């Protein structure tokens, strides 16, 4: 039996050098997603597809070595260039897992606040914290 910790939440924040419109658009662009959705040094995302509308799906195939890890979700909010909210489905997620990304202008760049809710365990939350941190670093380098 899996016990879901409803209150387990993580927030990752980073200021990126690109303007909010460019950072926002990268999250909905399949080509860009293959470049930055890399949650670790050996992870890649060779496949990405998006249907960027409220109710539309996105699907990613992340790879860690030879292991393929399908990820996906449904867009719940798309408010360019301020906020994207989507469900999060992965081999490690639980029902009701959701990600909110907020984009705020900061100088010539963008302050990004990513909040991910619902994890089965603290260990999974901490692993996602490292993954989202790596993804935001990679996004900054790709823009």
């Amino acid at each position: 039996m899996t016990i879901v910790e409803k209150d387990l939440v993580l927030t990752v924040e980073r200021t990126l050098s690109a303007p909010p419109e460019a950072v926002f658009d990268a999250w909905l662009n399949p080509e860009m997603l293959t470049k930055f959705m890399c949650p670790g040094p050996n992870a890649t995302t060779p496949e990405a597809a998006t249907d960027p509308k409220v109710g539309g799906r996105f699907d990613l195939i992340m790879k860690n070595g030879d292991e393929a890890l399908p990820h996906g979700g449904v867009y719940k909010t798309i408010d360019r260039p301020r906020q994207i909210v989507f469900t999060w489905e992965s081999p490690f997620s639980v029902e009701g897992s959701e990600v909110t990304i907020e984009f705020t202008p900061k100088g010539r760049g963008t302050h990004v606040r990513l909040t991910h809710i619902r994890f089965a365990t603290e260990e999974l939350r901490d692993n996602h914290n490292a993954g989202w941190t790596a993804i935001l670093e990679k996004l900054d380098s790709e823009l």
Side-chain angles (χ1 to χ4, degrees):
M1 180 170 112
T2 301
I3 298 172
V4 177
E5 293 290 338
K6 294 179 184 177
D7 296 333
L8 289 176
V9 174
L10 76 82
T11 299
V12 178
E13 297 186 64
R14 183 178 176 98
T15 298
L16 286 72
S17 56
E21 292 82 2
V23 178
F24 180 94
D25 290 348
W27 285 91
L28 303 178
N29 179 317
E31 182 179 338
M32 283 301 294
L33 288 168
T34 63
K35 294 179 180 177
F36 73 85
M37 287 296 282
C38 304
N42 299 320
T44 62
T45 299
E47 296 178 38
T50 64
D51 182 14
K53 62 184 180 192
V54 174
R57 275 197 65 81
F58 70 93
D59 289 287
L60 313 168
I61 300 296
M62 292 184 180
K63 292 190 97 175
N64 191 4
D66 292 334
E67 184 179 15
L69 302 167
H71 288 67
V74 174
Y75 298 109
K76 296 178 79 174
T77 301
I78 298 177
D79 182 14
R80 187 177 192 266
R82 291 177 281 280
Q83 185 185 63
I84 300 173
V85 180
F86 52 84
T87 63
W88 184 248
E89 304 162 9
S90 81
F92 314 106
S93 66
V94 295
E95 187 171 334
S97 185
E98 185 175 289
V99 176
T100 299
I101 308 171
E102 299 166 290
F103 309 89
T104 305
K106 185 169 184 180
R108 297 179 141 187
T110 305
H111 183 78
V112 176
R113 178 182 171 98
L114 185 151
T115 304
H116 188 160
I117 62 168
R118 296 198 86 172
F119 297 91
T121 66
E122 289 183 8
E123 180 182 7
L124 284 171
R125 180 200 56 199
D126 294 345
N127 289 344
H128 277 80
N129 188 39
W132 286 123
T133 298
I135 285 167
L136 290 180
E137 290 172 3
K138 184 73 171 166
L139 175 58
D140 196 26
S141 72
E142 292 294 332
L143 289 171

